[in-house]
Amino acid sequence: MKPALIGIAVLACIVIGIVIFVQSRPISVIVNGEQLELGGSKDIAAIIEAGYVSPKTGDFVAVDGEVLEAGKGEAFTAYVNSKKTNDPKTNLKAGDVVIVADGANAVEPSQDTVETVPYEVIQEGNGPLHVIEGKGVDGSKTTKIGDISGKTFVEDIAPQNPVCRQYYPDTGDDKVVALTFDDGPWPDSTGEVLDILAENDVKATFFTVGNRIDDNGKALVKRAHEEGHQICTHTFDHASGDGKGVDLGLMSAEQQIEEVTKGYDAIEAAIGEKPSTVIRTPGGNFNADVQKNLAPYISAEIGWNIDSSDWRLPGADSIAAQIEGAWPGAVILCHDGGGDRSQTIAAIREAIPYLKEQGYTFVTIDEMMEYPAKPMQS
């Protein structure tokens, strides 16, 4: 046994010797942009003790930054490979990138009161295309009262305000119009509208009402999607209930959000993919409160600048005349649902070929939004 024990002891000594040798070998690290060789201890404390860097200790300060006790803050601020550490014994490896700077101030304990500063949606311009840019983030106002100094300090973090950019598209020399249909899908009439669009090889955008996408409605919405039309939501039940069937602004924020998200879900169930986040609100009612509540959920809300007035049932000729009066960049409002749409069907059967003869191309709302905004008139 003795020779075996002696062998084990010798092997252990060799291993320990190798470990000590490896640990004692210098390593190369980058400290504040300079390459250094570290032998012995290989940590942040060694860098400081060797005089490679001389960070200044921070102070102990009041809530307003006034120094209460000099040199009573953090000894240094360090980052190893971009990861912050306050431990002077942080081990370093060959190739590590180290930044060592002055220590941060330590702030006295305090009693804090935080108030939320709600974000607002900033309105810019005017026009039928209402694009939401940015996501709203509430700001805050923090009032700190120092436990030691008794001083008061107020810290403001400004909210991040999204912008509702409303504009007319600048289509240049392109004679394009966007034909839109609300309130479907609807038995018979939506299918007839799709037939006319297919016959004329034109595209449109359908703003659907979610609770109308039943078994038959799913087939119509799926067909419209497969034929290249843009499918968007016009809310789930057209702001019924508190919205009185026309105005999301009369509903609570939770109800408004539910109207839109359930509308998305109904479309997704029909087309089998995530729907467009472009919407049209019932009645085009899209005031500041509605904009704020829906901003996290939508990319744009679409109005119109030609109302065919087909919902008034003024006669097919009257509806056709409104549509035929289109100009480049126009967004045309029609309805494929919500009631008897025979006048609308007769009107588009006449108006679509007429506009094509005038050199117009029919685009979806997404395609229309690819055009830049017209310069705002001063």
Side-chain angles (χ1 to χ4, degrees):
M1 293 295 294
K2 286 185 177 180
L5 291 173
I6 292 171
I8 292 172
V10 170
L11 180 60
C13 290
I14 292 172
V15 171
I16 292 171
I18 292 173
V19 170
I20 292 173
F21 172 74
V22 170
Q23 290 179 340
S24 64
R25 292 182 63 188
I27 63 170
S28 179
V29 296
I30 305 296
V31 179
N32 290 4
E34 295 186 12
Q35 184 170 321
L36 301 177
E37 298 292 324
L38 291 181
S41 296
K42 300 174 181 64
D43 52 31
I44 293 172
I47 294 173
I48 296 173
E49 290 168 3
Y52 292 124
V53 291
S54 300
K56 179 182 176 182
T57 302
D59 300 321
F60 181 62
V61 300
V63 289
D64 65 350
E66 180 183 352
V67 176
L68 299 177
E69 292 186 76
K72 295 294 184 179
E74 294 183 1
F76 61 87
T77 301
Y79 294 87
V80 178
N81 300 325
S82 301
K83 186 177 181 179
K84 187 175 182 179
T85 178
N86 293 321
D87 183 3
K89 293 301 182 181
T90 299
N91 289 322
L92 302 177
K93 304 184 297 298
D96 281 349
V97 177
V98 184
I99 296 175
V100 181
D102 292 344
N105 292 335
V107 182
E108 66 172 321
S110 60
Q111 302 301 312
D112 299 350
T113 302
V114 181
E115 300 175 54
T116 299
V117 180
Y119 70 83
E120 297 179 355
V121 179
I122 307 302
Q123 307 290 323
E124 286 188 0
N126 58 78
L129 306 182
H130 312 144
V131 177
I132 302 295
E133 297 177 341
K135 298 297 183 182
V137 178
D138 289 338
S140 63
K141 177 181 179 181
T142 303
T143 302
K144 299 174 177 285
I145 301 177
D147 289 350
I148 297 172
S149 68
K151 292 187 173 185
T152 298
F153 177 74
V154 177
E155 179 181 33
D156 291 314
I157 298 178
Q160 298 177 30
N161 296 318
V163 173
C164 180
R165 186 166 61 90
Q166 306 183 37
Y167 67 97
Y168 294 93
D170 187 350
T171 62
D173 294 330
D174 295 346
K175 295 181 70 173
V176 294
V177 294
L179 185 59
T180 69
F181 293 91
D182 287 8
D183 294 350
W186 201 258
D188 300 326
S189 56
T190 299
E192 290 185 71
V193 168
L194 289 172
D195 290 343
I196 294 169
L197 297 176
E199 289 166 8
N200 288 277
D201 191 24
V202 300
K203 297 297 180 283
T205 301
F206 289 84
F207 290 97
T208 60
V209 177
N211 65 5
R212 294 176 184 165
I213 306 179
D214 53 14
D215 290 341
N216 180 57
K218 281 184 180 179
L220 290 167
V221 170
K222 184 177 181 182
R223 175 189 168 187
H225 173 67
E226 291 177 346
E227 292 181 1
H229 305 294
Q230 185 174 346
I231 311 298
C232 303
T233 191
H234 193 38
T235 73
F236 184 74
D237 62 8
H238 212 280
S240 66
D242 290 346
K244 302 187 186 301
V246 71
D247 192 350
L248 289 177
L250 301 175
M251 308 177 83
S252 69
E254 292 76 16
Q255 290 173 322
Q256 294 172 26
I257 293 166
E258 187 177 61
E259 280 278 356
V260 170
T261 55
K262 287 181 68 177
Y264 291 157
D265 291 344
I267 294 172
E268 184 174 359
I271 68 175
E273 60 186 65
K274 291 293 182 183
S276 168
T277 53
V278 172
I279 75 165
R280 174 173 282 156
T281 55
N285 293 308
F286 193 53
N287 64 28
D289 287 340
V290 175
Q291 290 172 23
K292 179 177 179 179
N293 295 331
L294 297 185
Y297 303 91
I298 71 174
S299 56
E301 194 275 341
I302 305 303
W304 56 85
N305 43 18
I306 293 181
D307 183 353
S308 70
S309 294
D310 59 345
W311 53 278
R312 297 179 185 273
L313 301 178
D317 290 343
S318 175
I319 297 168
Q322 292 294 327
I323 299 172
E324 292 172 0
W327 57 87
V331 178
I332 305 167
L333 171 65
C334 294
H335 296 78
D336 65 317
D340 178 6
R341 296 301 171 216
S342 57
Q343 292 182 9
T344 303
I345 291 163
I348 63 171
R349 184 174 283 116
E350 173 188 334
I352 290 175
Y354 172 82
L355 287 176
K356 289 188 68 175
E357 289 172 1
Q358 304 305 307
Y360 280 93
T361 299
F362 290 77
V363 298
T364 64
I365 287 297
D366 274 354
E367 291 170 331
M368 187 67 84
M369 289 196 300
E370 292 178 1
Y371 288 98
K374 282 186 177 180
M376 287 188 292
Q377 300 297 320
S378 58

